[in-house]
């Protein structure tokens, strides 16, 4: 997933509270184990790029890090601030860290919105010598039988599929994450490691539809079309799967260290 940057849609802020309530958290144990692969990684100051509503920042705080979030959408930042997190509003590209340097620069579910190459260069400039970069994503899937039925529902409303105006960034794959790890290596970072940690969640049909309503591809749909689609999704889950959907998540974490 290379090429020109694709700006993250500001529409995320329209669903900030649903985003915070239903988007998956980052298991602290997964982050702790991933950071343990980096020599000398200890809790300290951390910068969370594109912190959103504070999902990753909260997990890092629970591990003893002093986290400052950076978020371009003030509505998302307001939710994070209400949790007691320190947040500055602005884009990473335009943000000036001044003399501030961090032991960890982290980014959860947002690295792919930043310009390849430049994002790594700036992240390294924000680090102290020997500091760590931590990139995290939650990749989810549901049982195949549920997936087959959902595909039929989507095809009935969207014969051409979901819009991809975000350049496909929302449809992240393991291959994309491997590319991000390769980018870190190409910029001279060491001990680049990718780890994956499985976990499971279960949502009601209503919660699942609210979660879909925080996805950039669904938010790109006309409101009437989105309403029809989500209504049919909920009706399908209620009729065929007891009004629930189980989700198998893999928290994928990429870590790397700068020169000491």
């Amino acid at each position: 997933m290379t090429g020109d940057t694709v700006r993250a849609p500001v529409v995320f802020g329209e669903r900030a509270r649903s985003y915070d309530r239903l988007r998956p958290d980052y298991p602290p144990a997964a982050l702790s184990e991933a950071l343990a692969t980096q020599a000398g990684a200890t809790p300290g100051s951390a910068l969370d790029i594109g912190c959103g509503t504070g999902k990753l920042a909260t997990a890092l705080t629970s591990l003893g890090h002093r986290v400052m979030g950076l978020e371009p959408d003030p509505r998302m930042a307001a939710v994070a601030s209400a949790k007691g997190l320190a947040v500055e509003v602005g884009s990473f590209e335009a943000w000036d860290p001044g003399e501030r340097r961090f032991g960890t620069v982290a980014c959860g579910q947002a690295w792919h919105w930043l310009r390849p190459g430049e994002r790594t260069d700036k992240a390294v400039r924000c680090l102290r010598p020997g500091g760590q970069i931590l990139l995290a994503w939650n990749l989810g899937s549901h049982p195949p039988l549920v997936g087959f039925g959902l595909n039929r529902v989507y095809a009935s409303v969207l014969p051409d599929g979901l819009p991809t105006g975000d350049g496909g960034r929302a449809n992240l794959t393991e291959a994309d994450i491997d590319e991000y790890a390769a980018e870190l290596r190409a910029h001279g970072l060491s001990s680049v490691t990718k780890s994956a940690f499985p976990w499971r969640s279960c949502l009601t049909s209503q919660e699942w539809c609210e979660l879909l309503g925080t996805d950039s591809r669904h938010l790109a749909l006309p409101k009437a079309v989105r309403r029809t689609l989500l209504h049919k999704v909920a009706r399908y889950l209620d009729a065929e799967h007891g009004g629930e959907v189980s989700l198998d998540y893999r928290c994928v974490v990429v870590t790397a260290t700068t020169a000491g």
Side-chain angles (χ1 to χ4, degrees):
M1 190 172 293
T2 57
D4 294 336
T5 187
V6 175
R7 302 297 303 170
V10 296
V11 289
F12 283 138
E14 296 176 7
R15 301 288 188 274
R17 297 198 179 278
S18 293
Y19 188 107
D20 186 57
R21 184 166 57 89
L22 295 168
R23 282 286 182 113
D25 295 322
Y26 296 94
L31 306 180
S32 179
E33 187 171 333
L35 283 170
T37 65
Q38 304 302 317
T42 56
S45 61
L47 171 68
D48 182 7
I49 302 168
C51 71
T53 62
K55 292 279 187 179
L56 182 57
T58 297
L60 289 172
T61 298
S62 74
L63 297 176
H65 295 268
R66 303 181 305 279
V67 186
M68 192 203 87
L70 182 64
E71 168 56 40
D73 192 312
R75 297 163 296 183
M76 301 285 275
V79 176
S81 295
K83 300 177 181 178
L85 298 169
V87 184
E88 293 187 9
V89 177
S91 68
F92 182 55
E93 296 92 337
W95 180 70
D96 182 5
E99 298 300 315
R100 290 174 291 184
R101 297 295 181 268
F102 302 86
T104 301
V105 169
C107 185
Q109 219 80 20
W111 190 249
H112 47 291
W113 295 116
L114 305 174
R115 184 175 292 111
E118 294 180 19
R119 59 195 172 194
T120 298
D121 288 339
K122 187 163 187 178
V124 170
R125 292 198 300 271
C126 293
L127 283 169
R128 295 171 182 160
Q132 292 81 38
I133 288 179
L134 182 150
L135 311 177
W137 296 267
N138 277 305
L139 305 182
S141 62
H142 33 59
L145 182 61
V146 177
F148 293 147
L150 288 174
N151 287 341
R152 291 195 297 271
V153 173
Y154 274 74
S156 72
V157 180
L158 302 170
D160 295 325
L162 283 166
T164 56
D166 60 4
R169 264 62 175 178
N171 193 24
L172 195 71
T173 67
E174 289 273 358
D176 297 320
I177 295 176
D178 289 338
E179 285 190 28
Y180 306 145
E183 179 183 318
L184 298 180
R185 293 188 186 93
H187 282 71
L189 284 97
S190 61
S191 302
V192 179
T193 304
K194 186 180 84 167
S195 308
F197 305 85
W199 63 285
R200 175 168 288 187
S201 177
C202 184
L203 299 177
T204 66
S205 57
Q206 180 179 346
E207 289 171 334
W208 174 244
C209 288
E210 287 186 59
L211 176 60
L212 293 177
T214 71
D215 173 74
S216 60
R217 294 167 297 172
H218 291 77
L219 287 168
L221 293 170
K223 288 184 179 180
V225 175
R226 184 168 70 243
R227 188 181 304 114
T228 298
L229 172 64
L230 297 183
H231 174 73
K232 288 192 173 186
V233 167
R235 190 167 61 184
Y236 161 72
L237 293 174
D238 289 342
E240 302 294 334
H241 299 284
E244 291 185 342
V245 57
S246 62
L247 296 167
D248 289 314
Y249 281 111
R250 296 175 71 247
C251 183
V252 182
V253 185
V254 173
T255 54
T257 302
T258 61

